Amino acid sequence: MLCYDYYGSVTVVIIQKILSLYIIIVFLLAGLNCHKQPSEKHDQFVLKIGSIHRAKSKNILYDNALGHFTMISHPPLLKLETDGRFTGILAEQFSYSNDYTIWKFKIRKNFYWSDGLPVKPEDIKFSLLYKGKHLPSRKWMGKLIKVIDIDQKGDIVCTLAKPYTRFDIEFTSVRILPRHIWKGIKNPERWESPRLYTGCGPFIIKDIDLNSGVVSMVRNPFWKGKSPQLDRIEIHMYHNPDVLSLALKRGDVDTYYKYADTFPYGNISSLRETGLYKIKKCTESGFIFLGFNLKKQPLDDHSLRQAIVYALDYQEIRKLITKGFGQIPQKGFVPPYFRFYHPTEPLVRDINKARKILEGSGYRDLNGDGILEDREKQPMKLRLVSTLIYTRLSELVKDYLNQIGIQVQLQILDPMTWIHTKDRYQYDLTISRTTPWGMMMHAGWSTGYFDYRRSGQGVLHIIDDPDYIHLCDAILSTKDPHQLKVLARKIQEYHAAHIPAVALISKTDVIPSKLNLSGWHHDPLFGIYNLSSFLRLKLTYADH
Amino acid sequence: MIFLLGEDAVVDPETVTELKKELGLDKPIHIQFLNYFLDVIQLDFGYSYHLRKSVFNIILSRIPWTLGLLLFSIILGAVLGIYSGALAGWKSHKSMSRILTQLNILFFSAPPFFMAILIMAVFAIQLNLFPIKGLYQSGTFMDIVQHHILPVAVLTLITFARNFIIMRGCILQEKNKPYVIYAKAKGVSGKKLLFKHVMKNAILPVISLLALDFGFLFSGALFVEIVFSLNGMGTLIYDAINSRDYPLIQGIFMIITLMVVSANLLADWIHQLLDPRIRKEK
């Protein structure tokens, strides 16, 4: 029997008991469970993909992350091959009229929705009209497509309101929906139901659990194409890339996926040490670039832009930012793997040349304080704006410009403020990136980032030079490869000569994959996350 | 608008105008503001443009997880911090007291995300004892508990360190006051004197701070939720701010304010219970 002679002792004993109980419970739980993964059938081949794309709702039509993930459950009509050609997924073949106003798609007959019904041309027609009506990002489609018909052969015929040569590119990302499921839904933005997961790809969504952070996909029972070895795909969503790297290190997931991005370079060596992964180098996913505000002084001055290009240390950027995995681009602002790539002047550091150009253009240090004065005899001070992920790179750029006597006021902004600032041209310099889709948009060859008639999240819209606009329009008016080759060369030469932006580094996508997995395919637009990958993937030995 | 559309989406100005009309953003600002307050009275905090759901429903789905996390951490951090802080202040000359004080200053100064990553690296990655992601995996009770141990431990450590430092300081101030010397002269023994007399006076500032913890810990929870990939209020606030989801931001802060005010009322009541001087003033 316990007997306490004063109040204090009772409190102490109770607290001690609570503490010991807590410690016992914690370690008992830890010891008993030792982080067991839920048991899986031994013969099941489950691919676990770690991603920092995070689904924030279960709405497959509106959620950005689910938009990426459902590319394999709701495949589009076409896909882009690495050589720049378009081939069919749901469409067997496609053709267009000479004036690019009538586009015809022949639909494959061996695609079935996961509820057993065949994919019909009506589903494609419905998807185009439905998205054009409901999705803000696809409203242009509703305006561009005048009529959609299904001809006697069952082909889809789109008649456009005006000639459009890039219609095929758009169909690499338009997911097709089952008409019989979606036709009664008037407010798709408010709908979240497992019934809407009905897809026609080899894998369909089984469950989206936001609290556990897992999107599960299983085989489509009515898939008639090549049979995949994979039984299930789990996409594990992490909020932080470093934690995802730790999860990979522990072997929790098999690979890493982020659209248009690489596994963090800084974590590669520690992952290699585990001996669990092979590190696959893919083609570059895009540039990180320094954009110049051509719309106002002083960066409307070509000589100043030229001097800045020579002041930057590309080798050091490659070493520090991409840990040696990136490639140093050229002035043409188009990567070598791109169709009709044309070599232009390589980017090299020449600080003396930079100084000479500045001096020759009237930028001189008049008072000997190490800072150049401009033509109005005011100290040179440029405003560089970027977002948090480019902080280190922005500091490097600031340092390089300081070395040639240009002061830089660095402002790190949140993404929304950056967009606001960029769209109002309230900057001199800015750092951003290109994406595979971005390089293809508008007239392609990165023109979508520069043409002043464009708008969008990463678009600078800084060139209103009639020569450039004419070049873009010329590209947009043809699909003739010979003409395109000539025009693509001219666009790249224009970029090299006028320098609207300088590509600081071309990132090489580095993707870790468990040693026993083989068969990955790298899609030029969507990286490793594509139908071919999941249909080809196999285990190279049987202890998965 | 851009966050509604995605990274590579390009829309024309007409679509933006249509969207603004659809979302009621084309009305004058004072009308929007008045409409908002009329709705708030009916517990309608509006509609999240970004998540496309009612703000009230979104908060309702997230808040139980974060509250669970916070309540455990606040209670554990308070019990442990007050108890060990009192002992450390009472026996300040002992080397254990000095070591604990240094350690707690270290814990309190360390950024929460750093603490979270460190604890995760040791207990989850090196020792492989705990999961590192999500609120659960299979959804069983044990599974949920196991997923919460590390996040609760991190938040507990933060509140524990803070309470320890404050409690120790308060005890150091109190222990040389005349009533303590008088009690000692009367022969009241060490622990009885500490826990029955000194602690009652020293604990008051800690109670006030505990009430404020409800607001403060939401920001602490943000880092912990990001590190442990938890779908709670912290990440909801973070996402709402990043995507400028104003109805959601307003709704969340309204709820947090209500909680902090309620916690302060509770703290005032506890003050009255513990301190006869406040009762007398009333």
Side-chain angles (χ1 to χ4, degrees), chain A residues 328-475:
Chain A
I328 297 174
Q330 298 188 337
K331 277 187 172 177
F333 212 84
V334 168
Y337 63 85
F338 225 73
R339 195 182 180 207
F340 302 137
Y341 163 75
H342 173 71
T344 48
E345 192 187 332
L347 291 164
V348 283
R349 184 179 214 216
D350 189 339
I351 205 154
N352 291 326
K353 201 168 177 178
R355 286 190 179 122
K356 269 184 193 163
I357 292 171
L358 287 170
E359 202 175 332
S361 310
Y363 300 99
R364 288 174 191 167
D365 183 7
L366 299 172
N367 53 12
D369 63 353
I371 298 159
L372 300 178
E373 273 74 41
D374 62 18
R375 289 159 188 162
E376 275 87 45
K377 295 181 180 153
Q378 295 299 312
M380 287 279 290
K381 190 169 189 177
L382 301 179
R383 185 181 179 212
L384 167 60
V385 299
S386 71
T387 51
L388 194 64
I389 47 170
Y390 304 118
T391 306
R392 181 75 188 108
L393 187 54
S394 305
E395 285 165 351
L396 284 174
V397 168
K398 181 182 175 178
D399 188 44
Y400 300 143
L401 298 193
N402 285 346
Q403 287 172 28
I404 56 166
I406 297 174
Q407 276 188 307
V408 174
Q409 181 201 358
L410 176 59
Q411 283 191 305
I412 304 295
L413 308 171
D414 70 279
M416 289 299 283
T417 314
W418 179 80
I419 291 164
H420 185 86
T421 308
K422 177 252 324 172
D423 283 345
R424 279 158 187 76
Y425 305 107
Q426 292 163 342
Y427 66 96
D428 296 310
L429 305 162
T430 186
I431 292 180
S432 185
R433 69 157 188 168
T434 65
T435 62
W437 183 260
M439 292 297 282
M440 306 280 296
M441 66 189 179
H442 191 45
W445 291 281
S446 72
T447 52
Y449 289 98
F450 303 127
D451 189 327
Y452 81 103
R453 297 168 295 180
R454 305 284 296 170
S455 62
Q457 186 165 345
V459 175
L460 297 186
H461 43 79
I462 45 176
I463 305 182
D464 52 10
D465 178 356
D467 291 345
Y468 191 79
I469 303 306
H470 177 71
L471 271 175
C472 290
D473 289 342
I475 293 173

Side-chain angles (χ1 to χ4, degrees), chain B residues 87-111:
Chain B
L87 281 180
W90 193 247
K91 296 176 180 176
S92 54
H93 55 283
K94 296 232 171 165
S95 54
M96 182 53 85
S97 164
R98 280 199 288 271
I99 292 168
L100 268 177
T101 308
Q102 303 289 339
L103 270 177
N104 279 301
I105 289 171
L106 191 73
F107 292 149
F108 189 54
S109 317

Side-chain angles (χ1 to χ4, degrees), chain A residues 12 19 29 33 37 54 62 136 192 209 211-213 239 243 250 259 414 416-417 433 435 437 455 457, chain B residues 2-3 5 7-8 10-11 52 80 124 128 130 133 135-137 142 145-146 195 229 235 239 244:
Chain A
V12 172
L19 281 181
L29 283 171
N33 288 280
Q37 298 278 356
R54 195 156 44 89
Y62 282 81
E192 288 179 2
D209 191 333
N211 286 336
S212 66
H239 294 197
V243 175
R250 196 167 75 161
Y259 168 68
D414 70 279
M416 289 299 283
T417 314
R433 69 157 188 168
T435 62
W437 183 260
S455 62
Q457 186 165 345
Chain B
I2 292 292
F3 274 84
L5 308 174
E7 182 172 16
D8 290 332
V10 174
V11 288
R52 296 177 180 86
L80 295 173
N128 200 20
F130 299 101
K133 174 183 73 80
L135 292 161
Y136 54 77
Q137 194 158 5
M142 287 294 281
V145 171
Q146 213 197 3
F195 289 107
S229 305
T235 41
D239 289 339
R244 307 267 171 101

